[in-house]
Amino acid sequence: MQTNPTYSSLVAVGDSFTEGMSDLLPDGSYRGWADLLAGRMAARTPGFRYANLAVRGKLIGQIVEEQVDVAAAMNADVITLVGGLNDTLRPKCDMGRVRGLLEEAVEKLAPACRQLVLMRSPGRQGPVLERFRPRMEELFVCVEELAERHGAVVVDLYGAASLSDPRMWDVDRLHLTAEGHRRVAEAVWQRLGYDPEDTEWRTPMAATVPPGWITRRVTDARFARQHLLPWIGRRLTGRSSGDGLPAKRPELLPYEGPAA
């Protein structure tokens, strides 16, 4: 990997993780790791361009159908692809199909950029995701194999203890906090060959006194009512939180905003 490379453009492809949920800004929009990464890269390269095609809730088939060809046509220096995790969280999931679609995406994107970036997504500690963990890990094996075959790099977030800490996750238990997204941006930044700005991003947060039993039960009940039950309802009815939403940043345009 080249040290401190010069990249002039970035296109991000994926779902809510790449859209930036739940790194909420005062205006109600989401920032997230991809925006933070683009800000850093833009600070080093005048005229840097950035597009973010991600939309929350998208399955890998939708990512391939709606985003991959668009991203490939942009001929960006760097393309990031994170997808398939939403599929693994569905009650019924054809992992063979997921692997095939991910392979199709990589085969189209890898030749269309200087550097394709794939990820082993972070995994939160807790009982809700445990039943889906074998599928997630099967997906990550596929990611590693595709990266080796097509010259992509893999950012290993799943293996980072700091990102499994429940305190790095929003109240919906599915999306990272602002601090979580900051650490992901740092991880990708370093994997692209830039000098570290935070050498301790993998270091877990300092231990704190855990909340009491009553507080945990109240929190669990609120989570179930506000997030888990609606999420299950969408899964059972085939709906998505991203239905009808446009891409976050659909055109490859000069980045404007404060550097991260």
Side-chain angles (χ1 to χ4, degrees), residues 98-111:
V98 171
R99 292 193 304 270
L101 287 166
L102 188 60
E103 182 174 9
E104 178 182 345
V106 170
E107 287 177 346
K108 289 182 177 180
L109 294 176

Side-chain angles (χ1 to χ4, degrees), residues 70-152:
V70 176
M74 291 179 174
N75 295 121
D77 282 350
V78 178
I79 299 177
T80 65
L81 168 64
V82 187
L85 203 61
N86 283 333
D87 296 78
T88 69
L89 301 179
R90 295 273 170 152
K92 295 181 179 180
C93 174
D94 182 346
M95 287 302 299
R97 181 174 182 273
V98 171
R99 292 193 304 270
L101 287 166
L102 188 60
E103 182 174 9
E104 178 182 345
V106 170
E107 287 177 346
K108 289 182 177 180
L109 294 176
C113 63
R114 282 176 56 193
Q115 186 60 69
L116 177 63
V117 177
L118 306 177
M119 296 189 198
R120 284 162 45 95
S121 303
R124 182 187 186 278
Q125 295 175 356
V128 174
L129 291 181
E130 283 307 310
R131 61 171 295 198
F132 303 109
R133 200 169 295 278
R135 291 178 183 172
M136 294 166 57
E137 294 180 350
E138 181 179 348
L139 177 69
F140 298 154
V141 169
C142 179
V143 166
E144 295 279 5
E145 292 173 348
L146 289 171
E148 183 175 359
R149 195 183 314 157
H150 294 278

